[in-house]
Amino acid sequence: MTRTATPKQPRRTQEQRSSEMRVRLLDATIECLVEYGYAGTTTPRVAELAGVTRGAQVHHFGSKTDLVVAAVSHLAQRRTEAAMKEISRMRVGDDPLGTALEFLWELHQGPLFVAAIELWVAARTDPALAVEVEKVEPYVNNAVLLAVAQLVPNEMHRKNVRDFAYTAMDTLRGILVTNFVSPDPDRGHRRWLRASAQLRLAAAAVMPDLHIAGR
């Protein structure tokens, strides 16, 4: 009986191993931001979470500043990917604004938004971090706006939909930040539903010809 030879997996190159190590460290940085906050994010903790030695961590990122600055772009990429993944699950139906509001709520749940908040707050007093955050945040917002535009594709409403999305995001983020003080997911969601009702009324006044179920 002959055996079928199992094809050998090609060996990873040094460049591939190095790239994978960086991703592990950056993912661990995001995890650390969520678990311990910005002040509690230290290079030893990141190395421990990533399962690498301190020497390996220092080889790739010499300081906390280097690590966090790189994590800003990494986090922005993951948030953008999350937006694209979430929009692929949505179905417009006859209530595009309702779908857009649901999309925004789901997108802001989970650890990626928490990590982003930690970086935004830290950037207030860290000029180097502020520069990096300012660079990448428009890309994330544009991805979200592009996703919302797919839910409300009427070109006549493009600017109004953009303004609506920004206002909705500002409102939602404010609700979620204040909810950090006394965490209660149900209360946060109730506040978002209440705000959504007001946002829908405002949208109906500006875009009266856009069908909104429940009006």
Side-chain angles (χ1 to χ4, degrees), residues 54-72:
R54 284 280 286 124
Q57 174 260 302
V58 171
H59 173 73
H60 288 279
F61 302 101
S63 67
K64 174 178 174 177
T65 299
D66 294 336
L67 189 58
V68 173
V69 164
V72 171

Side-chain angles (χ1 to χ4, degrees), residues 90 95-105 148 151-152 164 168 192:
M90 294 291 176
D95 185 11
L97 285 186
T99 305
L101 290 166
E102 180 187 353
F103 161 73
L104 291 174
W105 170 261
V148 171
L151 299 173
V152 189
F164 171 82
W192 171 239

Side-chain angles (χ1 to χ4, degrees), residues 9-21:
Q9 295 293 327
R11 294 184 62 181
R12 294 175 301 162
T13 65
Q14 179 59 37
E15 183 179 355
Q16 288 172 323
R17 290 195 295 271
S18 179
S19 177
E20 289 169 4
M21 178 70 75

Side-chain angles (χ1 to χ4, degrees), residues 83-145:
M84 296 300 100
K85 183 178 180 180
E86 187 63 33
I87 196 65
S88 69
R89 299 193 310 106
M90 294 291 176
R91 297 293 178 268
V92 178
D94 63 351
D95 185 11
L97 285 186
T99 305
L101 290 166
E102 180 187 353
F103 161 73
L104 291 174
W105 170 261
E106 293 297 333
L107 184 62
H108 285 76
Q109 304 308 299
L112 295 183
F113 177 67
V114 176
I117 286 292
E118 289 290 335
L119 292 174
W120 295 347
V121 174
R124 186 182 72 84
T125 54
D126 186 329
L129 185 57
V131 169
E132 295 304 313
V133 171
E134 187 177 13
K135 282 181 186 176
V136 302
E137 205 56 33
Y139 292 103
V140 180
N141 286 339
N142 284 337
V144 175
L145 292 171

